[in-house]
Amino acid sequence: MALDFTDPRQVARAIQYTDVNPDLTRGGVVEHLETCAKYEFDAAMIAPYWVPLAKDVLAGTGVKVASTLNFPMANDTPGMRLAALRALIETGVDEFDFPPHPGLLLGGDEALYASDVEDVVRLAHAEGVVVKVMLEFGFLPTDDLKVRATRIAHEAGVDWVKQSSGWGKGGLEATEHDVRLLAANIEPPCRVKVSGKVNTLEKMQRLFEAGAELVGTSSGPAIVDGLEGDPDAY
């Protein structure tokens, strides 16, 4: 069903309101979570440390708790990544976003790149946790590499593909071109999420028209209220 961008409630339900800054305090987290409940966002995206608190605050609201894995550097060993995922699952997290190791794909170690994604998906799905992969297109200099990363993620069984985290060198701004590339190289039930400078309703609508179905952004309230979020945020 197409999203009705004139309906603030529908818009909010397609947003994962994000604050994973390391300097966020307990009070700041609670404020973020209360905003998520007020707007009825799809999920609160917060750092792993705060997931237990988020599960308590958001209980009964219908707002999911999402977090991150292997972020932001994307270079944990496979064992480190899976150990962290087991710990994250124990917190009760509903879903998480993670970046595969871009250096493996860039260096031609495609089998290792793919197995890392497959291992994460296998463990998460065994526990009923949704997996969203951040492909960090900012590290991938060609569309051919972006296509390959997308197809590997899709073949591994991820639930959502995302062009970037919106953070750092790998986290470039979301574009309609990249959304179309993602959408063209997956099949249902895999879907497209976007992040990176999505700070207005108009931009969100253009990205959804290109094939996105979910957005992660720190500008959630501004988008729903028809305003412009911080252009320097993620």
Side-chain angles (χ1 to χ4, degrees):
M1 184 179 70
L3 183 66
D4 180 359
F5 280 88
T6 67
D7 183 346
R9 183 180 175 87
Q10 286 193 37
V11 172
R13 294 305 296 169
I15 292 174
Q16 299 199 326
Y17 184 36
T18 304
D19 194 337
V20 293
N21 282 298
D23 60 350
L24 191 64
T25 64
R26 180 177 297 271
V29 173
V30 170
E31 182 179 355
H32 180 80
L33 298 172
E34 290 175 344
T35 300
C36 288
K38 173 185 175 182
Y39 280 84
E40 299 182 351
F41 288 124
D42 175 76
M45 171 63 74
I46 42 94
Y49 186 90
W50 300 113
V51 170
L53 174 62
K55 293 294 289 187
D56 287 342
V57 172
L58 294 175
T61 65
V63 178
K64 293 177 289 187
V65 177
S67 194
T68 60
L69 177 76
N70 194 38
F71 176 78
M73 299 306 292
N75 55 12
D76 288 351
T77 68
M80 290 166 63
R81 187 180 306 117
L82 294 179
L85 177 53
R86 291 186 184 97
L88 184 61
I89 289 169
E90 289 177 1
T91 67
V93 74
D94 296 304
E95 51 190 65
F96 64 92
D97 295 25
F98 87 101
H101 194 320
L104 294 178
L105 186 62
L106 288 165
D109 293 316
E110 187 173 297
L112 291 175
Y113 181 88
S115 68
D116 276 358
V117 181
E118 291 163 0
D119 289 348
V120 168
V121 171
R122 186 179 303 111
L123 176 56
H125 283 179
E127 300 296 333
V129 176
V130 171
V131 182
K132 303 191 297 295
V133 65
M134 303 184 285
L135 296 173
E136 302 301 75
F137 278 1
F139 288 122
L140 306 181
T142 68
D143 277 358
D144 286 344
L145 279 170
K146 294 176 182 179
V147 166
R148 192 67 199 122
T150 305
R151 290 180 177 172
I152 288 171
H154 175 252
E155 290 162 8
V158 301
D159 301 289
W160 295 83
V161 291
K162 186 166 78 163
Q163 98 291 348
S164 84
S165 62
W167 280 64
K169 179 181 177 182
L172 80 178
E173 180 176 352
T175 66
E176 294 158 73
H177 170 81
D178 283 342
V179 170
R180 292 190 186 98
L181 184 150
L182 290 169
N185 288 283
I186 61 170
E187 295 179 1
C190 189
R191 301 159 76 184
V192 176
K193 178 183 175 183
V194 290
S195 290
K197 311 301 182 188
V198 185
N199 64 339
T200 67
L201 182 65
E202 292 75 18
K203 182 165 188 178
M204 180 178 168
Q205 183 169 359
R206 291 196 303 270
L207 294 168
F208 275 51
E209 289 170 351
E213 297 183 62
L214 189 66
V215 60
T217 177
S218 58
S219 298
I223 290 173
V224 175
D225 293 340
L227 305 173
E228 181 175 355
D230 182 354
D232 296 323
Y234 52 89

